[in-house]
Amino acid sequence: MRVLAYELRRLRSLRSTWLIVSAVVCCDVAAAVVLTRQLPAGPLSTTEAVRAVTALVPLLPLPFAALGAGALGALSYRHEVRYPGLAASRVTLLRRLWLLVGKLVVLAPVALALAVLTLTLDALAVRLALPTGVTLGVFDDPVLRPELFVDGAPVGPARSLAAFVLLVVVSGWAGLLFTAVVRSAVAGLLALLAVPVLLEPAAAMALSRLGDSWPLWAQELMPFRFSLGRFGLGSGLGSRLGLASSARPGPVAGLAPAGVAELLVTLAVPGVVLLLGCLLAQLRRRAL
Amino acid sequence: MIQTTGLTKTYRRRRPPAVLDLTFDARPGVVTALLGAEGAGKTTAVRLMVELERGLGITLFGGRTYRSLRRPEREVGVLLPTGTAAMGHPGQRAYCHLRMLAASIGVPARRADELLEQTRLAGIADHRLRSFSPGMSRRLGLAAALLGSPGTLLLDTPTDGLSPRSAEWFHSFVRSFAVAGGTVLVTTRTPEEAAAVADRVITLDQGRLASDQPAGEFRRARLHHEVSVRGPQMARLADLLTGQGGEVRPDGTTGIAVTGIGRTEIGELAYRHGILLHELADRVVDRPAQHLALPTTSGRSGHVQLQAQPQAPHQGSYQGAHPSPLHTPPQPPAHTPHQATHQAHHPAAHPDSPSDSPPAQAEPQAQPQLQSQSRGPDHQRGRRHARISAIDTDPLSTEHLMADWPQTPEQRVPDEQRGSAGEPAHPELFHEHTVSAAHSVGAAHPIGSEHHSHHSHYSEHQPDTTVTHPAPGPDHLSE
């Protein structure tokens, strides 16, 4: 409890926290507006809607909200490295691990709140900035159509949005843990940015070996497949990996439960490696 | 109660150990000072004690090691110097910083506010730490160390780079903490500070325990008494005193420092020969070491000077600004711990006073060398020090360096005061002059703490009584 109280006070009392949150919100809204302006005329598709609402910028490895959460995590650890308030009382391993766990626990709801906030504001921005040719289609008045957000709906964005929120939280944790390994916020953030660049093709390769492809809700959040396809670069690579753009309507319903499990394992392995790295680093150190 | 046994630390193989077999106790109700020059291993020793470093040896705080204490912040308050100037995140406000630390050790936020009051930071509590001076940062660090109301304090160079006023505040705080029954271990670089603050002084020399003395013994063994005399006819008086068997060295343009003859005898001698005196006062300096004056031009001295004079850039600029017209400036008397440590090892090898007239041709070579050596391998530390000193633009902060160079009368005031006790005694009391100053430090300085001045026109009537000379006005204090 003491660790949680400490971390909350620390997070609240720093100006950088509020600066990061406001910068994320500004970038997000701006990107959402620009993406909405570029939409082709006609009814809004699910993919386009998700991309606009989560403000996915092409070739940026992570959404802004995920980046912001990662930055919060990285700075949180760097504070302990550079300005140890009570350095002597962090000598024992158990105290350091508890502090790390406390930081992760506090970071999760903060990242969650950041994701929900950006989603709300982006949805508002998309609605307001919609160009004249585009109609909302099925998204017209989504409050009255709850079936859109029920899991498994053919065109529903529910899974994608949940995946986005999860992505933001995991990015926050990953920023914190990478910084815990390298003890530098900048290096930690760079490592965080490198993860999707490496992980996306690797996971796709693993999936193609198994004869699966990315589920649709995951495809909608992927930075490189989308942009490579848009710039005409991805077709060769994609077809070689069995991920032709034509697969976009995608076998969401046809995806076997085993496929989801494989995907989760593929994504979880780096996380476990990272946690072990943190543990080993803490074992060797005398300070955070 | 701190019991330290056999602390040993070697940073690199085949290098001399930073700390070697350091064993000592710090008892409750007593201020224990760990005295050593730069690089003597004080900080390493403190870090070993709280196990921030891996090393050999065991330190027990009330019978348990630091990491096995259940709630270490509630039993031992630790103040370690940080790499940065500020004690915490520079963007954080002071009260936020302290409340955050209070939350981390399970203390109500009210306690943090109380400590801000106690450390006189309440008025500036809502300012960001980046605007804090070294003295304010150190006070904030002390407040953080005190959050859990510990019974033991471990302070690593708490007054390093502080203005004398802040240092004096620290001293009085530390003494009152010990009087209330707490155990205090303070590290320091200057013997004067150790003598002023501590009841027991442990001297470290290159990581080894050089001596472990009660403060009285330490003062007798390590601090040196001399009489400072000023007046217009000092050359003649110096001849007379040398004839009487005293040892005289020049002290500024119009002063001499006399060893071996008492204050009253000097006064009588001057009176009999009709020599006008402007000042006649006892003072305490760190025991000057002979070999320091000689090898400034030899290759070996660089090492000694480097460790001894961390503030040498100041000194160099001061010399450049005020070349001594009459005397060749004497070598700075050994206010420096390193020299004194050598003295403790070889007391017989170094007679008390340097030569009366240092060779004049040696000086111009010596001074540039002194300046350049100070930017040697230790330049980083020196720069930091210079920056801190530049923030504390208090003339008193460098007064121990300037003490023996030509001075204006205003500058002489703190010099004189320092001479009385080796510590900056309450500047605000100073206009009541030395009686009160001597009184305030009387407990800590049984020897040589009386500080009187002697005027020849007074001694006409009462040659043996000491008379305080008129108090300098309060305008001297504002500097």
Side-chain angles (χ1 to χ4, degrees):
Chain A
M1 277 318 284
R2 277 189 260 148
V3 172
L4 297 187
Y6 163 80
E7 180 60 16
L8 270 179
R9 279 196 180 275
R10 193 198 67 75
L11 208 57
R12 252 181 18 201
S13 67
L14 286 179
R15 204 163 34 171
S16 60
T17 309
W18 305 108
L19 280 179
I20 287 175
V21 167
S22 46
V24 163
V25 166
C26 291
C27 290
D28 243 61
V29 169
V33 168
V34 170
L35 285 176
T36 313
R37 288 278 166 198
Q38 289 174 348
L39 284 177
L44 195 62
S45 76
T46 306
T47 309
E48 283 163 348
V50 167
R51 286 184 181 277
V53 166
T54 54
L56 277 179
V57 177
L59 286 178
L60 190 68
L62 286 171
F64 288 116
L67 269 181
L72 283 181
L75 289 182
S76 157
Y77 195 89
R78 175 220 183 223
H79 186 137
E80 306 302 327
V81 173
R82 263 197 91 181
Y83 314 105
L86 299 166
S89 61
R90 306 247 192 269
V91 171
T92 47
L93 178 68
L94 210 60
R95 285 164 170 267
R96 275 179 282 144
L97 289 185
W98 270 121
L99 184 63
L100 208 55
V101 169
K103 279 182 181 295
L104 291 176
V105 167
V106 170
L107 195 58
V110 170
L112 194 80
L114 186 64
V116 171
L117 178 72
T118 52
L119 281 182
T120 316
L121 289 178
D122 286 350
L124 214 64
V126 169
R127 184 67 191 265
L128 292 178
L130 213 59
T132 44
V134 183
T135 56
L136 281 175
V138 289
F139 294 103
D140 195 15
D141 216 354
V143 183
L144 297 180
R145 289 164 175 257
E147 74 271 8
L148 271 180
F149 294 94
V150 173
D151 190 24
V155 290
R159 278 195 172 191
S160 293
L161 294 187
F164 172 76
V165 171
L166 192 69
L167 179 68
V168 173
V169 173
V170 169
S171 307
W173 285 346
L176 178 67
L177 293 177
F178 275 123
T179 313
V181 172
V182 296
R183 301 193 75 183
S184 149
V186 175
L189 267 183
L190 286 179
L192 175 66
L193 283 178
V195 166
V197 178
L198 299 176
L199 196 62
E200 191 188 322
M205 195 112 63
L207 283 176
S208 71
R209 288 266 167 81
L210 294 167
D212 278 328
S213 68
W214 286 103
L216 181 64
W217 53 267
Q219 278 181 27
E220 281 166 354
L221 291 175
M222 282 182 187
F224 298 111
R225 251 186 61 73
F226 169 61
S227 40
L228 290 181
R230 167 178 280 192
F231 296 119
L233 299 170
S235 53
L237 183 73
S239 61
R240 212 183 314 145
L241 297 177
L243 289 172
S245 318
S246 59
R248 191 174 272 183
V252 175
L255 190 70
V260 176
E262 299 284 348
L263 183 67
L264 284 181
V265 168
T266 318
L267 293 179
V269 167
V272 173
V273 169
L274 187 54
L275 274 175
L276 278 179
C278 280
L279 204 63
L280 281 178
Q282 292 301 329
L283 279 174
R284 288 181 51 81
R285 287 181 198 155
R286 288 263 157 152
L288 271 168
Chain B
M1 179 77 179
I2 307 175
Q3 294 162 295
T4 293
T5 311
L7 287 187
T8 302
K9 170 79 182 176
T10 309
Y11 279 108
R12 282 197 207 144
R13 205 172 289 185
R14 286 200 289 277
R15 295 286 297 276
V19 178
L20 180 61
D21 206 18
L22 181 62
T23 303
F24 64 89
D25 287 354
R27 281 181 280 280
V30 167
V31 180
T32 309
L34 210 54
L35 168 70
E38 190 90 39
K42 305 180 301 292
T43 298
T44 308
V46 171
R47 291 177 68 88
L48 280 173
M49 289 171 78
V50 296
E51 297 172 66
L52 271 169
E53 305 258 0
R54 267 167 237 260
L56 308 176
I58 292 175
T59 305
L60 299 179
F61 297 89
R64 312 181 72 165
T65 60
Y66 187 83
R67 44 190 327 179
S68 67
L69 289 175
R70 228 179 133 63
R71 308 184 73 175
E73 306 89 0
R74 300 240 167 166
E75 304 190 27
V76 185
V78 186
L79 173 59
L80 294 171
T82 51
T84 51
M87 273 288 158
H89 195 290
Q92 220 170 8
R93 299 177 195 279
Y95 76 96
C96 289
H97 173 77
L98 217 52
R99 284 183 184 180
M100 178 187 89
L101 295 181
S104 84
I105 62 176
V107 167
R110 202 179 50 246
R111 171 84 181 140
D113 298 340
E114 277 172 24
L115 277 169
L116 282 174
E117 291 278 352
Q118 276 182 32
T119 50
R120 304 189 310 184
L121 291 171
I124 45 174
D126 57 346
H127 286 254
R128 297 191 191 276
L129 296 190
R130 81 163 51 89
S131 64
F132 272 37
S133 80
M136 289 147 75
S137 294
R138 225 61 73 84
R139 287 211 295 269
L140 189 67
L142 184 68
L146 289 172
L147 271 175
S149 319
T152 304
L153 274 186
L154 213 56
L155 310 175
D156 191 9
T157 53
T159 56
D160 189 21
L162 297 195
S163 71
R165 201 182 160 84
S166 295
E168 173 62 22
W169 183 87
F170 253 95
H171 293 168
S172 60
F173 176 83
V174 161
R175 279 193 297 259
S176 63
F177 189 86
V179 164
T183 311
V184 186
L185 182 73
V186 183
T187 69
T188 178
R189 278 200 302 211
T190 55
E192 287 91 344
E193 188 185 7
V197 75
D199 304 310
R200 187 161 195 91
V201 181
I202 294 160
T203 312
L204 282 184
D205 181 24
Q206 293 171 356
R208 292 158 182 83
L209 187 87
S211 69
D212 184 353
Q213 305 161 306
E217 194 184 310
F218 171 78
R219 273 191 288 272
R220 276 195 297 281
R222 294 286 302 281
L223 299 181
H224 172 74
H225 301 271
E226 62 182 20
V227 184
S228 161
V229 190
R230 288 183 198 281
Q233 295 164 284
M234 282 304 104
R236 200 172 140 220
L237 183 64
D239 287 343
L240 288 169
L241 290 169
T242 315
Q244 296 274 324
E247 284 165 348
V248 182
R249 71 179 171 82
D251 179 21
T253 51
T254 61
I256 52 175
V258 185
T259 323
I261 302 184
R263 195 184 60 232
T264 45
E265 284 85 14
I266 297 173
E268 283 175 26
L269 195 69
Y271 170 62
R272 276 204 300 277
H273 292 84
I275 296 171
L276 178 67
L277 295 187
H278 289 163
E279 182 193 324
L280 179 61
D282 279 334
R283 68 177 181 189
V284 183
V285 293
D286 191 14
R287 190 171 284 264
Q290 174 78 27
H291 73 290
L292 242 290
L294 297 177
T296 18
T297 49
S298 83
R300 197 170 62 83
S301 65
H303 175 66
V304 175
Q305 290 266 324
L306 184 68
Q307 290 197 336
Q309 297 286 346
Q311 292 187 336
H314 278 274
Q315 196 177 14
S317 61
Y318 190 81
Q319 284 169 9
H322 300 269
S324 171
L326 295 182
H327 299 262
T328 53
Q331 281 304 309
H335 293 302
T336 51
H338 189 84
Q339 303 161 6
T341 330
H342 277 271
Q343 182 76 20
H345 272 297
H346 321 285
H350 312 295
D352 279 347
S353 111
S355 56
D356 299 355
S357 50
Q361 64 272 27
E363 287 304 318
Q365 298 157 5
Q367 289 173 16
Q369 193 179 358
L370 188 110
Q371 200 168 351
S372 63
Q373 279 159 0
S374 69
R375 300 193 180 128
D378 209 21
H379 66 285
Q380 198 176 358
R381 186 118 194 169
R383 218 186 306 140
R384 185 169 72 84
H385 209 98
R387 187 163 59 82
I388 289 172
S389 306
I391 294 169
D392 278 25
T393 47
D394 189 333
L396 296 180
S397 65
T398 50
E399 62 55 27
H400 72 277
L401 289 171
M402 301 176 174
D404 294 283
W405 306 109
Q407 286 176 332
T408 61
E410 289 81 22
Q411 281 166 331
R412 217 175 286 140
V413 172
D415 172 22
E416 188 180 290
Q417 189 184 4
R418 174 196 61 79
S420 73
E423 67 164 356
H426 310 286
E428 65 271 16
L429 295 180
F430 190 66
H431 63 274
E432 294 165 22
H433 199 46
T434 51
V435 177
S436 60
H439 174 72
S440 71
V441 296
H445 303 274
I447 321 149
S449 56
E450 76 273 24
H451 174 157
H452 299 290
S453 294
H454 210 132
H455 286 271
S456 51
H457 61 273
Y458 279 124
S459 53
E460 234 170 276
H461 309 293
Q462 296 173 304
D464 270 339
T465 15
T466 53
V467 181
T468 57
H469 75 72
D475 51 332
H476 295 308
L477 309 173
S478 54
E479 313 180 0

